[in-house]
Amino acid sequence: MKKKSNSQSAFFNTRVLLASVFCSAGALIALFGSGAFSNASAQAISAPEPKAHQFGQTTVIHALHSDLSRPLREQPLIWPAMEAEHEANLNPKIPHQHQDGPDPVIQSSFWQRMINMPAVPAPLLTWNGIPYPGVGCNCAPPDTDGEVGKSQYVQMVNEGFQVFDKVTGTSVFGPVAITSVWSGFGGACQNGGSGDPIVVYDQLSDRWIISQFAVPSGASVPQDECIAVSQTGDATGAWYRYDFHLTSNFLDYPKLGVWPDGYYMSANVFNTSGTAFLGPQPFVFDRVKMLVGDPSATSQTRGIIGGSSEESFLPADVDGIVPPPVGDPNHFVAFPQGSPLIYKVWAYHVDFTTPANSTFTLEASVPAASFTALCSTTRNCVPQLGSSANLDAIADRMMFRNAYRRFSDGHESLLDNYTVSANSVAGIRWIELRRTQPGNWGVFQQSTYQPDTTWRWMGSIASDNQGNIALGFSASSSSSNPQIRYAGRLTTDPLNTLSGEQHLFDGTGSQTGTSNRWGDYSDITVDPVDDCTFYYTNEYYATTGSFNWRTRIGYFRFTGCTAPQEGTAHFVVTACTGGAAISNASVSIDSRPYGATLSNGTYDAILTAGSHSYSVTKSGVGTQTGNFTITNGQTTNVNVCLGSTSSPTPTASVAPSPTPTATSAPTATATATATSTATATPTATPGQITLSVRGYVVGGKRRADLTWSGATSNNVDVYRNGARIVTTTNDGFYTDKIGGRGPGTFTYQVCEAGTQTCSNQVTVTF
């Protein structure tokens, strides 16, 4: 969590006031431009606060407010006044009664020396993400996370949001303040957003989900969760927005996971002063209703679990095209606890129709190898080159994400990691829990990665469709600046070993001050198209200083990984009478909720090859069921009509078709066809410099932030209006303090230093 400095009124300042003015204007525009939906939204803002209802042990929480935004690319963007630099509030430490013990699973350095060639390949491409100050936050740490979709990569930090082309790394939209996503919404989400942002991609429905916590009016700490679900697969389009008031306590470190029946979330709950840990708390949000923007969507919770002695946990987040078994609960994995140590695996089964039937139960207690806690009494812990301010490793919790995957042979995997002390430096304990039906979760492999004297922490772990594993992390020591690295293993490697390590990006500076904060998390995700390419994002410093963090994004893939046997079901849903397209119809496949139709009545689902069943329904219109077959590498059109006339079972034929994109919805057709599609593999574009520029005003004076990728020299020349203004380090970011006031037009270009190899020209106008 990041927090305002003591010199400011908590969570209210000039930035918020300015944002409120612009957002109010945006809301007025929306009222005139979007018809009945906006009228409903305006009524919701002034409506009394919904009450939570108790059903047995389950609390049902209604959204305070929900609406549909304008397309984000058309929203009035908010450039808040720059705040004074302020340190992050110490993320309250979670007390636990850990008993140190010898670590029997530290990976042998002998094995590391035996590896001639790393199993993990070098990055295919890296580029700079959102830099400090995170658009307008002027805070630390950035809380870096990101997710990859069909054609886009979305990154979030405190308090910024940006969309990139996932192959080239070119910026598609942003960076903008997260506040811009909530423009015109009102309430805590618009005016009290406070960080801990999370973005996940729901590949079952081809939608994005973003969240951050917020401080409601009259409170001093975050108590609300602001969740937005994209209306399409294009993150620059419109969003269904929800504000849930979840607690009267301090809601800290919320983390999301996608599951077929809901969006699950964990949080660490403290008293309002942050001095007492009350326990971990699970939540779930109605995914099916939120995919269509239904204002009646609710959240459920079973309350705080176990009290202050219970260790925190993370919800499972689905990777891959093979969904969990029908009716399977979400699996929360907890930080190891007890003596002897165990990993508790909690099962959250939700019933949105009959909430009293929802359960949160302990389904497995899995033995954990002993370890020594890292820096249990201090946060001045991880050393860096050139700075006496050591870094906080946040070694008291599982690190984002709890990655779930179900493989084609039927076995299921949960991958998690946390930081421990290994041979007196920080190492990463990573675990893979597995189960095969029928059966329960057990340890398949667990190991502490600590091959040398470098400190490694802030990990994130996932696997591709063949079971190859990648672990991203921060790395530093007293002789090196913090770096972004990743290690990995092939599925054929000996168990409990990572067989190689690569550098995604090496920082050239260290952090000073900011209460020793670093993180508080990083994020590795897997391309949903080829199910092979890993994308990782984390933070670094280009120069030593207290407020100057940068973020980096990159991708890589294991040689020999191939896409799974898959095809696309292209649903075309129309009215049986008249043939009009039906939007927001919910689509279930093989008895699992999958997605919803777009405005043109279409919906695409990537599925395993073979036979499938479907059910398409829309309240007040009708329901239709049927069957279809998916052929590897092809798209099968599934024509469905809802209403008074039955819909025929779809048929399929073969014809060529272009690869779908996230920015345009497929067009409904009257015939059923199957179309051949190619698996997209990311490729780098060396030698081409891509530049983007954002102009803004600070204290009435003009500034421009330049971000670029593709330059290969150590330094670059920056040109303004044809004249070179500076030669600077090629770290992908430069701020031009233009100065002056009033209107003006400036054209920028970045070139390899001393050459005519240059970027595109970008013009900004004030």
Side-chain angles (χ1 to χ4, degrees):
M1 174 192 172
K2 61 91 191 168
K3 190 175 181 180
K4 312 301 181 199
S5 62
N6 292 334
S7 62
Q8 298 169 314
S9 175
F11 304 98
F12 182 82
N13 50 40
T14 305
R15 175 177 70 90
V16 173
L17 179 60
L18 182 61
S20 300
V21 172
F22 280 106
C23 291
S24 297
L28 289 174
I29 294 170
L31 285 172
F32 288 104
S34 57
F37 212 114
S38 292
N39 291 334
S41 299
Q43 293 168 5
I45 291 174
S46 60
E49 179 178 325
K51 300 294 184 182
H53 298 282
Q54 199 69 26
F55 297 88
Q57 297 181 46
T58 295
T59 303
V60 175
I61 304 167
H62 296 267
L64 290 177
H65 176 41
S66 66
D67 73 356
L68 173 64
S69 76
R70 294 171 60 183
L72 185 55
R73 56 184 174 270
E74 300 174 8
Q75 286 268 59
L77 302 182
I78 297 170
W79 302 115
M82 198 63 65
E83 302 171 348
E85 292 176 348
H86 56 279
E87 296 177 356
N89 181 44
L90 279 179
N91 201 328
K93 194 170 178 63
I94 302 170
H96 54 85
Q97 296 75 40
H98 177 73
Q99 297 180 16
D100 290 346
D103 191 333
V105 295
I106 297 178
Q107 181 172 324
S108 168
S109 59
F110 172 77
W111 164 255
Q112 199 72 20
R113 292 194 298 269
M114 293 296 292
I115 301 298
N116 294 321
M117 292 293 292
V120 181
L124 293 169
L125 182 70
T126 75
W127 67 93
N128 269 312
I130 305 171
Y132 173 84
V135 180
C137 180
N138 254 31
C139 59
D143 291 353
T144 312
D145 68 297
E147 175 70 282
V148 57
K150 281 187 177 179
S151 67
Q152 297 173 333
Y153 184 89
V154 175
Q155 187 193 43
M156 294 183 77
V157 301
N158 285 327
E159 290 178 352
F161 172 93
Q162 189 164 9
V163 183
F164 300 90
D165 180 285
K166 77 174 187 181
V167 177
T168 66
T170 304
S171 179
V172 175
F173 178 81
V176 300
I178 298 175
T179 309
S180 296
V181 181
W182 297 92
S183 175
F185 187 78
C189 293
Q190 178 175 311
N191 302 316
S194 298
D196 271 22
I198 288 294
V199 54
V200 290
Y201 175 71
D202 182 346
Q203 65 184 67
L204 298 180
S205 63
D206 183 27
R207 303 290 185 89
W208 300 93
I209 302 91
I210 61 173
S211 74
Q212 72 168 344
F213 58 25
V215 180
S217 176
S220 60
V221 293
Q223 299 174 338
D224 289 18
E225 193 70 16
C226 306
I227 300 179
V229 179
S230 64
Q231 190 184 32
T232 70
D234 178 9
T236 75
W239 292 76
Y240 296 120
R241 305 183 293 189
Y242 293 85
D243 177 2
F244 291 95
H245 180 66
L246 297 180
T247 179
S248 59
N249 295 307
F250 175 7
L251 182 82
D252 192 36
Y253 211 71
K255 297 292 173 285
L256 285 175
V258 174
W259 208 249
D261 60 359
Y263 297 128
Y264 288 80
M265 190 184 89
S266 61
N268 302 328
V269 182
F270 293 80
N271 63 355
T272 54
S273 62
T275 57
F277 178 58
L278 304 181
Q281 187 166 355
F283 298 88
V284 58
F285 304 88
D286 194 332
R287 173 179 176 269
V288 173
K289 288 188 175 181
M290 294 173 76
L291 286 174
V292 299
D294 189 332
S296 69
T298 59
S299 172
Q300 289 189 19
T301 182
R302 299 282 290 185
I304 294 173
I305 303 298
S308 60
S309 62
E310 193 66 51
E311 295 293 349
S312 63
F313 39 57
L314 291 177
D317 185 36
V318 172
D319 286 339
I321 63 168
V322 184
V326 175
D328 196 37
N330 189 281
H331 309 285
F332 285 60
V333 177
F335 190 80
Q337 58 197 284
S339 181
L341 282 176
I342 59 170
Y343 300 109
K344 288 186 177 181
V345 183
W346 299 90
Y348 200 161
H349 163 74
V350 67
D351 188 330
F352 285 108
T353 302
T354 310
N357 291 339
S358 297
T359 57
F360 188 84
T361 56
L362 183 64
E363 64 174 331
S365 296
V366 181
S370 62
F371 64 91
T372 297
L374 179 71
C375 304
S376 58
T377 61
T378 179
R379 297 197 172 215
N380 184 2
C381 186
V382 180
Q384 324 166 74
L385 173 66
S387 175
S388 60
N390 295 339
L391 303 174
D392 183 3
I394 313 185
D396 59 356
R397 66 199 69 188
M398 292 290 193
M399 300 306 296
F400 187 66
R401 298 174 298 132
N402 173 17
Y404 169 92
R405 183 180 287 275
R406 187 182 181 199
F407 290 85
S408 57
D409 65 2
H411 85 265
E412 299 166 89
S413 169
L414 288 168
L415 287 169
D416 287 277
N417 83 98
Y418 53 98
T419 307
V420 301
S421 177
N423 295 328
S424 301
V425 302
I428 297 181
R429 170 70 61 85
W430 61 275
I431 64 170
E432 182 181 11
L433 306 183
R434 282 195 182 185
R435 73 172 180 181
T436 302
Q437 300 289 353
N440 206 345
W441 297 102
V443 171
F444 180 70
Q445 51 184 336
Q446 61 178 329
S447 181
T448 300
Y449 183 62
Q450 189 273 314
D452 51 40
T453 58
T454 295
W455 295 57
R456 293 168 175 83
W457 83 105
M458 201 61 62
S460 186
I461 190 168
S463 68
D464 63 22
N465 78 90
Q466 296 181 345
N468 306 312
I469 292 174
L471 170 70
F473 48 85
S474 295
S476 76
S477 69
S478 59
S479 60
S480 65
N481 304 119
Q483 302 172 347
I484 305 175
R485 300 186 189 181
Y486 57 92
R489 68 182 310 276
L490 296 171
T491 190
T492 54
D493 287 339
L495 290 177
N496 308 308
T497 59
L498 298 179
S499 54
E501 179 174 304
Q502 294 283 359
H503 293 227
L504 187 138
F505 195 77
D506 290 345
T508 51
S510 293
Q511 176 178 287
T512 60
T514 69
S515 298
N516 310 105
R517 298 297 299 285
W518 187 269
D520 290 330
Y521 39 94
S522 64
D523 200 1
I524 196 165
T525 55
V526 186
D527 190 322
V529 177
D530 65 15
D531 211 8
C532 287
T533 305
F534 293 88
Y535 282 72
Y536 184 53
T537 185
N538 203 339
E539 72 166 293
Y540 71 97
Y541 269 66
T543 58
T544 297
S546 61
F547 286 91
N548 197 27
W549 49 261
R550 299 285 184 264
T551 66
R552 196 80 176 180
I553 304 161
Y555 60 76
F556 59 93
R557 68 199 307 265
F558 288 93
T559 303
C561 181
T562 58
Q565 298 285 301
E566 63 184 32
T568 300
H570 176 61
F571 285 81
V572 181
V573 182
T574 58
C576 294
T577 302
I582 296 179
S583 64
N584 284 341
S586 296
V587 179
S588 291
I589 299 173
D590 300 329
S591 301
R592 302 175 184 87
Y594 257 72
T597 56
L598 305 175
S599 59
N600 62 357
T602 66
Y603 161 68
D604 285 353
I606 299 176
L607 303 167
T608 56
S611 299
H612 299 272
S613 63
Y614 72 84
S615 174
V616 179
T617 185
K618 183 167 184 177
S619 178
V621 180
T623 299
Q624 190 58 247
T625 61
N627 301 281
F628 60 94
T629 299
I630 291 294
T631 302
N632 183 46
Q634 296 185 359
T635 294
T636 299
N637 282 7
V638 183
N639 295 325
V640 178
C641 79
L642 298 181
S644 58
T645 305
S646 298
S647 174
T649 300
T651 58
S653 60
V654 177
S657 172
T659 301
T661 66
T663 56
S664 59
T667 303
T669 59
T671 59
T673 60
T675 60
S676 175
T677 59
T679 299
T681 301
T683 56
T685 55
Q688 179 179 345
I689 306 175
T690 302
L691 172 67
S692 61
V693 183
R694 175 175 73 89
Y696 57 99
V697 175
V698 177
K701 295 185 178 182
R702 299 168 298 192
R703 288 190 183 184
D705 285 347
L706 285 71
T707 57
W708 65 88
S709 62
T712 58
S713 57
N714 292 330
N715 298 303
V716 296
D717 295 329
V718 177
Y719 289 83
R720 184 210 304 146
N721 293 341
R724 187 179 66 184
I725 59 173
V726 69
T727 298
T728 185
T729 303
N730 179 23
D731 64 358
F733 183 82
Y734 177 75
T735 295
D736 181 19
K737 298 179 181 179
I738 305 167
R741 299 175 183 270
T745 299
F746 304 93
T747 299
Y748 290 92
Q749 198 167 23
V750 171
C751 304
E752 305 278 10
T755 75
Q756 296 301 309
T757 303
C758 300
S759 71
N760 54 300
Q761 292 186 343
V762 180
T763 299
V764 294
T765 301
F766 293 86

